[in-house]
Amino acid sequence: MKMVYTCMALACFHAAVLHAQEKTVTLDSYFNNEHRKNAAGEMESFHYKWEETGNNGYSKLGDAFKAQGATLNTLHEAPAAANLKSSAVYIIVDPDNAKESPAPNYIGKKDITAISQWVKAGGVLLLLANDSANTELAHFNELAAVFGLHFNDERINYVKDDAHFENGAIAVKDHPVFRTTKKIFMKDACSIRVQPPGKPLLTSGGAAIIATTAYGKGTVVAVGDPWLYNEYVNGRLPAGYENDKAMTDLVSWLMTKIPAKK
């Protein structure tokens, strides 16, 4: 009987490990690899990180994924089959340009092959760009092109300062992804050119600002801005803007795109 219980316990353990792998959300920290000195004078990674609780962090986004049962992970190395295989969702945000890093890690052919094969096998890829002055679009677009997407070298939804929030407003109504959201804020983004089988997911001023593509068994979502960092989901926005709801809606939708394991 003890042996039976032991086998059952091991089976439950392996099932739990598999379940965790199915919901692991990995955030890139290789292409976006900015560093700064902290209070102790030591160099630290910053800007769109899970553990970063300040305005520029993704701690709120991480909490939204965890609320959906996900486990968070950070990838500090170049993507490869071995280090992506346990991830259900892979997020690349704002790849570094020469202004942001003394030695940027540009997205290359080997990276594109590893990522596209991972998506084809069922991975969910979230690409978050920025306006061209603040990100490296040339190599990012080589990856996006595999999925019929292109981040345009232009800035839309320009917002001069906090007195002009409405310039970044996008009305959302009866949306299949943003089901609980009526109005969001996204500023200084780039538009996205979309080719079949891709399709716009959200537009602003007639231009796609979020787009998606089905690729093999996987899904790719592109956003023209880092967008859901803490500054714009922590209650700082004026009343009526619902980026916090949009974040929850998007995360919930992304999790439904993870293929069920057979």
Side-chain angles (χ1 to χ4, degrees):
M1 184 63 73
K2 184 177 181 180
M3 180 65 72
V4 173
Y5 285 141
T6 301
C7 291
M8 290 177 63
L10 286 172
C12 289
F13 171 75
H14 289 305
V17 170
L18 179 61
H19 183 68
Q21 289 175 340
E22 289 176 0
K23 292 191 174 184
T24 297
V25 178
T26 295
L27 178 63
D28 162 72
S29 190
Y30 179 75
F31 303 116
N32 171 40
N33 190 34
E34 294 180 68
H35 284 74
R36 66 182 177 189
K37 283 187 177 180
N38 60 22
E42 302 168 334
M43 297 301 291
E44 65 176 5
S45 178
F46 82 107
H47 217 188
Y48 312 128
K49 307 301 179 185
W50 291 139
E51 66 277 8
E52 196 174 359
T53 58
N55 278 348
N56 289 326
Y58 269 156
S59 62
K60 296 287 187 182
L61 180 60
D63 288 343
F65 275 111
K66 288 190 288 186
Q68 291 287 326
T71 299
L72 304 183
N73 178 50
T74 300
L75 185 59
H76 297 279
E77 303 168 343
N83 57 30
L84 287 177
K85 67 179 181 180
S86 295
S87 298
V89 180
Y90 179 40
I91 303 172
I92 303 176
V93 54
D94 190 32
D96 294 340
N97 56 26
K99 180 180 70 175
E100 297 171 318
S101 174
N105 294 314
Y106 295 134
I107 297 172
K109 292 182 179 179
K110 188 175 180 179
D111 307 313
I112 293 170
T113 297
I115 295 168
S116 60
Q117 289 179 347
W118 171 81
V119 175
K120 184 177 287 187
V124 178
L125 178 64
L126 177 59
L127 305 175
L128 297 128
N130 210 332
D131 65 281
S132 60
N134 291 294
T135 194
E136 201 284 318
L137 286 184
H139 294 84
F140 205 18
N141 272 326
E142 291 180 13
L143 172 61
V146 174
F147 311 111
L149 305 170
H150 180 90
F151 295 106
N152 295 318
D153 186 4
E154 65 176 357
R155 181 172 62 176
I156 61 175
N157 287 30
Y158 172 62
V159 178
K160 182 178 180 181
D161 51 38
D162 283 1
H164 299 83
F165 273 106
E166 278 300 311
N167 292 341
I170 305 174
V172 182
K173 183 179 179 182
D174 299 326
H175 197 279
V177 175
F178 302 107
R179 295 178 180 275
T180 72
T181 310
K182 296 179 180 178
K183 184 180 181 181
I184 68 168
F185 177 82
M186 193 188 304
K187 72 167 189 174
D188 298 357
C190 62
S191 63
I192 303 169
R193 187 171 73 238
V194 187
Q195 295 179 328
K199 59 182 180 180
L201 201 59
L202 189 67
T203 61
S204 178
I209 202 166
I210 304 179
T212 186
T213 300
Y215 187 79
K217 297 179 181 179
T219 302
V220 179
V221 178
V223 185
D225 187 71
W227 187 34
L228 296 174
Y229 48 99
N230 293 343
E231 183 176 2
Y232 295 113
V233 293
N234 64 3
R236 191 182 81 84
L237 292 173
Y241 292 96
E242 299 178 319
N243 280 22
D244 54 342
K245 291 183 179 181
M247 175 178 65
T248 300
D249 287 341
L250 179 62
V251 166
S252 297
W253 183 78
L254 288 172
M255 298 300 280
T256 69
K257 293 299 178 179
I258 301 171
K261 296 291 183 180
K262 295 182 179 180

